[in-house]
């Protein structure tokens, strides 16, 4: 476990730089989950993302703060329908969240992120692209988001290959959803919601944004 997490942290540092803060949370019956914070300096150009708010590309002039979990990938995720939890084989992942800096007190997201990262151990959840994770409360005080959409990996931090038979660690971006967006996604699916965001050029890294038009 320690060897895997050391490699994961090295990959995060290589992709995002040195973290300027970190916090750890331990839940009953689970391994410790850490959340690392990285600041990306602003640039003169604001575009360049592979998709709205997926965490890839240049930061805007205001800069981007990125939060990454460390500890979720220590154990492979197991389908709750499986007869037993394989200690070696199975998907492994860490979570990434990117928001614009200096707009809201987003550091309060540290514990909610740790809760989401612990969900495979606590609830037997397999976190995968296209899925949604619900916190039952705001991501931070005053946030208009209570859940996130899990996006495709690879845009910001490349997959980390591990020795066989272990599967690679994937770094999954989280896209905050408003309650209306989450409800619409449950009916129409993740791809349809992502298309709405693209069509309306929604900045998913804006911590104060409103829901996209869904009519």
């Amino acid at each position: 476990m320690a060897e895997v997490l050391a490699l994961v942290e090295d990959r995060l540092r290589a992709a995002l730089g040195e973290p300027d803060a970190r916090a750890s949370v331990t839940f009953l019956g689970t391994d410790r989950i850490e959340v690392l914070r990285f600041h990306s300096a602003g640039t003169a150009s604001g575009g360049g993302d592979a998709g709205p708010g997926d965490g890839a590309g240049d930061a805007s002039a205001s800069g981007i703060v990125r939060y990454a979990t460390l500890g979720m990938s220590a154990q492979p995720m197991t389908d709750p329908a499986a007869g037993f939890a394989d200690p070696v084989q199975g998907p492994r992942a860490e979570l990434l969240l990117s928001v614009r800096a200096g707009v809201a007190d987003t550091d309060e997201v540290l514990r909610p992120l740790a809760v989401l990262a612990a969900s495979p151990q606590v609830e037997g959840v397999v976190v995968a692209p296209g899925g949604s994770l619900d916190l039952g409360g705001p991501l931070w005080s005053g946030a208009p988001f209570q859940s996130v959409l899990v996006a495709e990996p690879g845009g910001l931090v490349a997959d980390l290959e591990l020795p066989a038979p272990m599967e690679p660690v994937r770094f999954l971006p989280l896209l905050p959803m408003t309650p209306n967006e989450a409800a619409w996604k449950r009916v129409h699916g993740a791809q349809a919601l992502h298309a709405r965001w693209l069509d309306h050029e929604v900045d998913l890294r804006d911590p104060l944004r409103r829901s996209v038009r869904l009519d």
Side-chain angles (χ1 to χ4, degrees):
M1 180 184 77
E3 293 81 0
V4 169
L5 295 185
L7 293 172
V8 169
E9 184 166 356
D10 287 345
R11 176 58 56 89
L12 288 170
R13 290 173 181 267
L16 305 177
E18 290 297 313
D20 64 357
R22 63 196 301 158
S24 62
V25 180
T26 302
F27 303 98
L28 183 64
T30 69
D31 298 322
R32 183 179 67 174
I33 301 291
E34 290 191 273
V35 180
L36 281 59
R37 185 183 70 188
F38 303 85
H39 271 95
S40 175
T43 64
S45 66
D49 281 1
D54 62 0
D58 296 333
S60 72
S62 62
I64 300 295
V65 60
R66 308 188 194 278
Y67 302 93
T69 64
L70 178 63
M72 180 178 173
S73 60
Q75 299 181 23
M77 293 180 281
T78 303
D79 189 319
F84 72 100
D86 192 313
V88 177
Q89 296 186 359
R92 298 174 187 256
E94 298 288 354
L95 307 178
L96 300 170
L97 175 68
S98 300
V99 295
R100 298 206 176 276
V103 180
D105 187 10
T106 56
D107 280 352
E108 293 182 10
V109 80
L110 295 176
R111 183 174 178 82
L113 276 181
V115 170
L116 296 179
S119 60
Q121 294 185 57
V122 176
E123 303 175 15
V125 174
V126 177
V127 180
S132 55
L133 301 172
D134 191 356
L135 280 163
L139 288 175
W140 55 83
S141 295
F145 319 108
Q146 297 188 14
S147 59
V148 294
L149 175 65
V150 183
E152 294 288 340
L156 181 62
V157 183
D159 293 353
L160 173 64
E161 297 291 336
L162 297 175
M166 292 187 289
E167 295 186 21
V169 176
R170 300 199 295 172
F171 299 87
L172 302 173
L174 301 180
L175 309 179
M177 294 187 292
T178 66
N180 284 344
E181 290 170 341
W184 198 86
K185 180 260 180 186
R186 286 193 291 270
V187 175
H188 300 279
Q191 290 187 346
L193 178 58
H194 206 275
R196 285 281 176 139
W197 284 335
L198 285 171
D199 290 344
H200 293 275
E201 299 182 346
V202 174
D203 180 7
L204 297 178
R205 297 173 301 187
D206 179 356
L208 301 178
R209 73 172 183 86
R210 298 180 179 180
S211 179
V212 69
R213 287 188 59 183
L214 299 171
D215 52 6

